[in-house]
Amino acid sequence: MKPNPAIQDRPSPVTAAGARKGAWLTVLDAGARLLQSTSPLKGFDVYVAGLHCAKGDPGMQMEAHHYCKVVNDDLLQCLIFDGNTADANLIGIEYIVSGALFDTLPEEEKDYWHPHNYEVFSGQLSAPGLPQKVETSLMKQLVNSYGKTWHTWHTGTHGAPGMDLPMGDATLMWSFNRDGEADEGLRTGFEQAMGIDSDAKRADRASLLPLAEPQRGVDEMKDDFTGTTPVPGVVDADAPR
């Protein structure tokens, strides 16, 4: 896939531990390109970028650069990196399902899946490099969807780098669901570096609001943040109406 000149570079916030690539790895790389198939990785060409926080740990926040494969209309599989350049580190995975598929899950399983409507309607989630009309069509597919996300490596943020190797248990991630939940420095730094106008995206995606349904998990971390503001289209399925 050719680089898209419209996409801003966002390098990893850390340098991974270990010696620099040696000659034998260089030879291996060349041989792999010529002789080995990369079939399982083909199709991971949908790029979306946003912000994540850990479930139950509101201070653990970071950028999440997703490279996704559309399996079908109800399922996407994503590899998550801490940047979008060649030195980016693989920090996790995310599975995305439609609201219809989510409804078929066992009740105890649903607690692992975070809602996506805030990411869509706040303008926080973007598909860098896509024309706005195409990006809006992609976001339409994500309305009412859910994600199950595990991070295996916390490399930190671009203002405060984290671990230089993946350590400890995998962390279940969650979504932001109100304005003011994401750290303001993290949010503005990310948007400025990526050339994202979230206000313009929010205004454009207002046309999708009639599609929005209440979602499970919107209020899961409500009490972990203060001074937040609700966003139209983002309502907890269990909230009184």
Side-chain angles (χ1 to χ4, degrees), residues 5-46:
I7 298 176
Q8 303 289 328
D9 281 350
R10 192 57 164 160
S12 167
V14 303
T15 299
R20 302 182 71 177
K21 186 181 292 187
W24 73 274
L25 276 177
T26 302
V27 172
L28 180 62
D29 284 349
R33 282 195 297 270
L34 291 173
L35 302 174
Q36 292 183 308
S37 169
T38 57
S39 294
L41 292 179
K42 289 180 179 177
F44 282 86
D45 50 12
V46 177

Side-chain angles (χ1 to χ4, degrees), residues 132-180:
Q132 182 170 293
K133 184 176 181 180
V134 178
E135 182 187 69
T136 302
S137 296
L138 171 61
M139 294 301 148
K140 181 179 180 180
Q141 296 302 115
L142 295 178
V143 172
N144 303 322
S145 68
Y146 290 82
K148 184 178 185 179
T149 304
W150 292 97
H151 279 200
T152 54
W153 188 354
H154 183 38
T155 58
T157 69
H158 290 78
M163 297 180 290
D164 61 359
L165 282 175
M167 298 186 215
D169 294 334
T171 302
L172 181 66
M173 308 306 290
W174 210 249
S175 52
F176 296 112
N177 288 287
R178 289 168 181 77
D179 285 346

